[in-house]
Amino acid sequence: MRSAFNRTVCLECGHSEPADSSTGGLSQTVCSACGSGWIDARYDYDAVAPIWKAGLKDLECQDTLWRYAQLLPVDPPPPAAQFNEGGTPLIRLTQYEQLYEHPHIYVKDERRNPTGSFKDRQAALTVTALQRMGIKEIALASTGNAAVAYAAYCARAGIKLWLFLTSLVLAEKMREAALYGAEIVKVSGSYDETKGVAAEFAKRRGIYLDRGARGIPGKESMKTLAFEIAEQLGLTFDGGGWRCPDWYIQAVSGGIGPLGVWKGFEELYMMGLIDRMPRLGIIQAAGCAPMVRAFAANKEKADPVVPKTLITVLATGDPGYSYTLLRQAALQTNGAMLAIEDGETFAAMRRIASKAGFSVEPAAAVAFAGLEKLLHDSIIRPGETVVVNCSGHTFTAESHILGDRYALELRLDSQPEARREGLSAALRELDEQVTTILVVDDDPNARRLIRRLLRAYKQYRVLEARGGMEALEIVRDTPPDLIVCDLTMPGVDGFAMLDHLKNDPATAQIPVVVISAKTLTEQDRAFLKQYSESIWTKSAFDTRQLVDHIVRILGDEPVSVIRSTSAALEKPNEAAGEPRRVLIIEDNPADARLARRIIETVKGLQITETASGREGLKAIYEQRPDLVLLDLNLPDLDGLTILEIIQHNSDLKEIPIIVHSARTLSSEERALYSDVICGIIEKAAFDRSEFILRVTQALG
Ligand SMILES: Cc1ncc(COP(=O)(O)O)c(C=O)c1O
Ligand SMILES: [Zn+2]
């Protein structure tokens, strides 16, 4: 039998409507009677109850959460689209049983899901429903684990995912999500603000926004935890059938887990499969415990808090109606809501690992710390059966796989009154940043010029390739909105690249602007006329005309309309009449003095010196100089590391760097950093006039 989803009910006013089972309830988002977004799925329980009473046997998806497909809103995807989600073990925590002299403590080991957390359940159902609806692009705000889970499932389903994460989300989680190909937007605001940004972004772009605990497939997915626990306990205690634990304990942020689990037990109870409901143990981090506070104060609504916890995964400051629903559930069976200080959580994390062999992430450790407290304070009564959700242990992606280039950054103003305007300005900037331009040229200075011209106009994301082959690889991974390319390049040249691009239906639509110094034959011209938007002659074009042309192709307003653009297209400091800034990073005082004296002969420069790599990097971040003279052998942070950091930071990358060192770079090193080094002066082969020439050239 397939899904028995047959109607929906509004949790706020009780209004009922027939189910839209073809979309797994995804399309049912607002109550037509009262406008509430809390729509709940209901099923033909009379048809399902006898089947489940007889025991779930002979199913297609025996060991996964799809085992419970009859009470899920969406039918299982074909096995090829599944990841074996759910079906995690229930493991006895004998060490704690002995320690607290309390029998029957169990761990639901959700670490064993495909991406290592219970959020895989949510991603599995939601992405299946998205596929049914033919949706190809979505946005999601997350505190970390849902991001990784959705990234994996969207990758498998070929859905483009925009992740909005607060900048506090662990870099490891961001990297893992990025590895799955998700686009990451780091927002320097709270999680609640980040949700607002994601919603606004989705609206502007006209794409689907994940609705968290309010989305039908998401919440329904969490019921499968209750179903599994009841079946697993039934097997343990009674050799089969269904059994309700006395406690379900979970670390809580937005509350989708306990809401779904509670509903799962309610359905089992309603169908006569279990004889009572569990007590809920809702555990929050003390630095972000709006639910716990409101519960203690006996309030029906939780006041939002500003999260102050290291456990960013649990940083929902405003739980909204989730709290009201969970409070009703907790009151019904005399449950508990507890807050745990971060320090206590980290101690509990070490205990659960060293005493029982569970390595868990801090968010999951919050639940174990709660368990310890509930046992210690005898809130859990003797003999009660306890199940703790060991909600996550995410594996980390090594930083060197992706560098730091995987995220777009969105900075909200720190002044509260400026935040509103800050948000819309930041969103405008994001719109710019999601426009990607690929610049293909073997000459790093030519690439830098185009990048600087374009980014002086808008904060476009500019990717670079040194040749045709690299360009084709980038196009495959991150299809750009436009390509600017050179023709004469070693290996796959511009013609071959264009030929490839334009004959592949997936990339044929990408506009290409050609900038080349090559003398063109009639045949070349005919080819380029067919395959490119326009041809520009290197070093002979009018920069403003070129930028105008490119932005028009991208559908942006031409430069002439934008205020003070001609100034913006000049080098930044020069335009403002300020002196150009040169930063010397050199630990040898004599070398620094010599360099300064020579550079001072060039007029209109302001020179700063730093004697260590760390200070130098700090000065680069803070001053954004127009030129850096970089020594390689530095005491704390060496020059190559600085090059590496700059190479992976799209803002800093525009700063020209001249390497001035006693160390000779190998040809591999030269190639590796060719896009950030604009000149090399070897100390051994020092020549004063060449030095001046390089500096003036680099400053343009
Ligand atoms: C590992 C882990 N534990 C607990 C939670 C809190 O879950 P809920 O969304 O059900 O409040 C999360 C949420 O992201 C999580 O990732
Ligand atoms: Zn309603």
Side-chain angles (χ1 to χ4, degrees):
M1 194 185 130
R2 297 161 70 100
S3 169
F5 179 33
N6 62 3
R7 69 197 167 91
T8 61
V9 172
C10 168
L11 289 179
E12 293 200 76
C13 79
H15 175 74
S16 177
E17 283 185 22
D20 179 1
S21 49
S22 67
T23 68
L26 210 58
S27 57
Q28 292 174 291
T29 54
V30 189
C31 170
S32 60
C34 77
S36 164
W38 287 87
I39 314 289
D40 211 28
R42 295 296 147 88
Y43 300 78
D44 181 356
Y45 298 107
D46 292 341
V48 177
I51 304 172
W52 284 32
K53 237 175 222 155
L56 294 175
K57 298 183 208 88
D58 308 324
L59 299 174
E60 252 178 59
C61 315
Q62 200 54 264
D63 304 325
T64 76
L65 59 74
W66 298 106
R67 175 179 177 79
Y68 308 104
Q70 288 149 358
L71 290 191
L72 294 178
V74 59
D75 285 323
Q82 296 180 15
F83 259 139
N84 267 27
E85 45 276 345
T88 59
L90 191 68
I91 299 171
R92 204 158 169 171
L93 198 55
T94 43
Q95 295 78 0
Y96 276 42
E97 290 179 358
Q98 284 160 12
L99 210 62
Y100 290 95
E101 295 177 3
H102 187 105
H104 307 306
I105 306 176
Y106 296 85
V107 174
K108 183 67 173 155
D109 194 358
E110 288 292 286
R111 298 175 310 167
R112 306 224 198 159
N113 276 305
T115 74
S117 91
F118 75 137
K119 297 284 169 174
D120 283 320
R121 296 179 189 263
Q122 183 185 346
L125 257 78
T126 308
V127 171
T128 303
L130 289 166
Q131 280 181 295
R132 295 278 146 79
M133 284 182 81
I135 288 174
K136 288 274 168 235
E137 185 174 355
I138 70 164
L140 166 79
S142 159
T143 56
N145 284 324
V148 177
Y150 274 68
Y153 278 88
C154 283
R156 202 162 158 103
I159 292 174
K160 180 173 178 67
L161 172 64
W162 290 92
L163 285 175
F164 288 79
L165 307 174
T166 75
S167 28
L168 296 176
V169 168
L170 292 182
E172 287 78 6
K173 289 195 195 294
M174 288 199 194
R175 266 188 229 120
E176 187 173 357
L179 191 60
Y180 291 121
E183 288 275 5
I184 296 183
V185 182
K186 244 200 277 187
V187 182
S188 70
S190 70
Y191 176 52
D192 299 291
E193 285 170 318
T194 304
K195 281 198 278 193
V197 173
E200 188 59 35
F201 177 82
K203 200 162 109 201
R204 278 166 176 250
R205 220 174 151 83
I207 60 175
Y208 177 82
L209 171 75
D210 187 81
R211 301 177 68 247
R214 287 172 307 150
I216 287 181
K219 189 174 84 178
E220 293 298 294
S221 74
M222 292 299 177
K223 293 189 321 196
T224 59
L225 272 164
F227 299 157
E228 287 176 18
I229 291 169
E231 264 199 303
Q232 287 165 323
L233 286 178
L235 198 64
T236 307
F237 282 83
D238 314 314
W242 305 78
R243 179 184 269 257
C244 184
D246 296 298
W247 282 91
Y248 170 76
I249 298 175
Q250 193 203 300
V252 173
S253 177
I256 188 171
L259 281 173
V261 167
W262 180 260
K263 185 176 178 200
F265 283 122
E266 262 183 337
E267 289 180 341
L268 294 178
Y269 184 71
M270 221 164 39
M271 295 192 297
L273 297 172
I274 55 174
D275 56 1
R276 67 213 137 98
M277 291 294 287
R279 300 172 73 185
L280 285 184
I282 304 279
I283 323 291
Q284 294 202 290
C288 184
M291 295 199 193
V292 179
R293 276 199 209 173
F295 195 70
N298 201 17
K299 285 184 169 174
E300 275 187 31
K301 281 193 182 146
D303 295 320
V305 302
V306 176
K308 289 199 181 66
T309 170
L310 293 172
I311 304 163
T312 48
V313 162
L314 299 181
T316 302
D318 184 3
Y321 195 57
S322 285
Y323 162 72
T324 308
L325 294 169
L326 284 174
R327 173 174 177 269
Q328 286 161 8
L331 288 177
Q332 208 173 310
T333 49
N334 200 15
M337 295 205 188
L338 278 189
I340 305 286
E341 296 292 343
D342 287 358
E344 288 177 66
T345 293
F346 294 130
M349 186 170 153
R350 281 193 289 274
R351 277 193 295 277
I352 189 70
S354 61
K355 295 213 183 314
F358 283 90
S359 159
V360 306
E361 71 171 274
V366 166
F368 286 100
L371 165 75
E372 291 178 351
K373 205 159 177 175
L374 291 170
L375 285 165
H376 180 268
D377 296 348
S378 303
I379 298 172
I380 295 177
R381 293 187 287 254
E384 285 186 323
T385 307
V386 184
V387 173
V388 183
N389 184 341
C390 181
S391 47
H393 178 150
T394 311
F395 304 99
T396 57
E398 296 293 333
S399 66
H400 65 256
I401 298 179
L402 294 150
D404 288 321
R405 266 183 299 186
Y406 55 84
L408 297 167
E409 288 200 43
L410 203 60
R411 288 199 191 87
L412 299 183
D413 202 295
S414 56
Q415 299 302 315
E417 63 278 14
R419 258 186 128 81
R420 264 190 106 72
E421 171 48 22
L423 176 59
S424 61
L427 272 165
R428 274 198 304 276
E429 198 177 291
L430 184 62
D431 284 345
E432 294 175 10
Q433 289 185 50
V434 302
T435 301
T436 306
I437 299 168
L438 172 62
V439 180
V440 193
D441 201 312
D442 55 332
D443 173 3
N445 289 324
R447 294 200 302 270
R448 187 177 300 113
L449 172 69
I450 302 295
R451 174 154 36 94
R452 201 170 65 194
L453 287 173
L454 290 170
R455 287 182 50 103
Y457 171 73
K458 274 193 177 178
Q459 290 297 305
Y460 292 125
R461 176 157 53 162
V462 179
L463 305 177
E464 290 175 42
R466 284 163 294 191
M469 189 55 106
E470 196 182 351
L472 291 170
E473 270 167 29
I474 293 178
V475 171
R476 203 176 327 117
D477 286 350
T478 318
D481 298 286
L482 182 136
I483 298 174
V484 178
C485 84
D486 184 19
L487 292 175
T488 333
M489 294 178 289
V492 175
D493 69 1
F495 292 100
M497 185 193 87
L498 269 169
D499 200 38
H500 228 282
L501 280 176
K502 296 293 173 176
N503 287 308
D504 178 348
T507 55
Q509 302 310 321
I510 303 173
V512 179
V513 170
V514 172
I515 303 180
S516 171
K518 186 177 186 313
T519 318
L520 299 173
T521 63
E522 273 311 308
Q523 203 185 358
D524 290 343
R525 282 194 187 279
F527 176 89
L528 293 174
K529 195 156 183 228
Q530 187 188 352
Y531 283 156
S532 72
E533 304 293 319
S534 55
I535 310 161
W536 302 71
T537 310
K538 236 180 203 175
S539 354
F541 57 82
D542 177 307
T543 50
R544 184 196 291 218
Q545 272 182 8
L546 174 74
V547 174
D548 243 346
H549 171 70
I550 290 180
V551 302
R552 270 179 212 271
I553 300 176
L554 292 169
D556 279 326
E557 291 197 59
V559 180
S560 44
V561 190
I562 308 270
R563 132 196 79 78
S564 72
T565 356
S566 58
L569 289 180
E570 309 293 326
K571 285 118 220 159
N573 296 325
E574 194 178 55
E578 289 172 16
R580 317 280 302 282
R581 290 182 301 246
V582 179
L583 172 67
I584 301 174
I585 308 179
E586 171 66 72
D587 63 324
N588 179 329
D591 287 348
R593 210 174 316 120
L594 178 65
R596 174 191 273 274
R597 257 198 265 122
I598 300 174
I599 297 172
E600 269 169 353
T601 61
V602 182
K603 292 242 158 3
L605 300 183
Q606 180 192 319
I607 302 165
T608 323
E609 285 172 39
T610 64
S612 86
R614 274 192 206 292
E615 275 174 41
L617 191 61
K618 188 160 165 266
I620 293 175
Y621 275 114
E622 287 172 2
Q623 302 174 5
R624 305 285 157 127
D626 299 289
L627 173 68
V628 177
L629 194 70
L630 177 68
D631 184 17
L632 294 178
N633 303 321
L634 294 163
D636 47 1
L637 190 67
D638 70 76
L640 290 185
T641 311
I642 294 179
L643 288 173
E644 176 92 26
I645 291 169
I646 290 177
Q647 194 174 41
H648 288 148
N649 182 314
S650 54
D651 283 334
L652 301 182
K653 226 176 144 178
E654 269 143 75
I655 302 171
I657 297 179
I658 295 180
V659 170
H660 178 227
S661 178
R663 181 181 179 301
T664 311
L665 285 172
S666 67
S667 53
E668 289 83 28
E669 284 167 339
R670 277 172 200 252
L672 198 57
Y673 300 114
S674 68
D675 54 340
V676 281
I677 297 177
C678 78
I680 299 175
I681 303 173
E682 290 187 14
K683 285 184 182 170
F686 187 79
D687 176 289
R688 191 187 164 91
S689 47
E690 194 203 321
F691 195 133
I692 294 177
L693 183 70
R694 288 231 180 265
V695 168
T696 42
Q697 267 178 349
L699 285 166

